[in-house]
Amino acid sequence: GNSLYAIAEAFRNELGCEEVKIIENISLVCIVGRGMRSRLGMSGQIFGELGNKQINIRTISQGPNEISIIVGVDDKDFKDAIRTVYERFIEKGERK
């Protein structure tokens, strides 16, 4: 609501940003793993698995340490995204 826009305006003023954009109804899923840094194409595999399940990625962020990737998905896809990542990379282990 209005509080989101007040926060966005405070960020804009405090940080000197030209624009702060609010995107509503997005859930963030963070995938963390120490071994991710050494695995070439890991983010592509994650994106591919989500795409195979028809889960649209709305935003992506990866830190410089390369041990985590944050993807933003529509709220309606949140549970399916968690399930997809869990089943593919945790429960069954990473396929080579």
Side-chain angles (χ1 to χ4, degrees):
N2 290 337
S3 60
L4 281 177
Y5 292 97
I7 292 169
E9 183 66 16
F11 274 127
R12 193 180 70 72
N13 291 335
E14 187 67 30
L15 300 175
C17 301
E18 289 184 25
E19 180 181 38
V20 175
K21 186 174 182 181
I22 296 173
I23 303 172
E24 297 189 53
N25 303 314
I26 289 192
S27 297
L28 299 178
V29 177
C30 184
I31 300 103
V32 180
R34 286 179 289 187
M36 288 175 52
R37 183 185 319 199
S38 61
R39 306 296 267 181
L40 293 175
M42 181 58 111
S43 54
Q45 291 176 36
I46 293 167
F47 305 153
E49 287 296 320
L50 294 173
N52 289 340
K53 300 289 184 173
Q54 304 298 307
I55 297 169
N56 187 31
I57 298 173
R58 303 282 308 276
T59 184
I60 302 164
S61 177
Q62 182 173 12
N65 60 12
E66 297 181 21
I67 65 166
S68 66
I69 297 172
I70 300 171
V71 295
V73 299
D74 291 324
D75 285 346
K76 68 179 181 57
D77 293 328
F78 176 70
K79 288 181 182 178
D80 288 337
I82 294 290
R83 186 177 304 112
T84 297
V85 169
Y86 182 82
E87 288 174 355
R88 168 61 167 83
F89 296 100
I90 308 297
E91 190 174 86
K92 295 178 183 173
E94 182 187 354
R95 291 179 234 138
K96 297 188 180 187

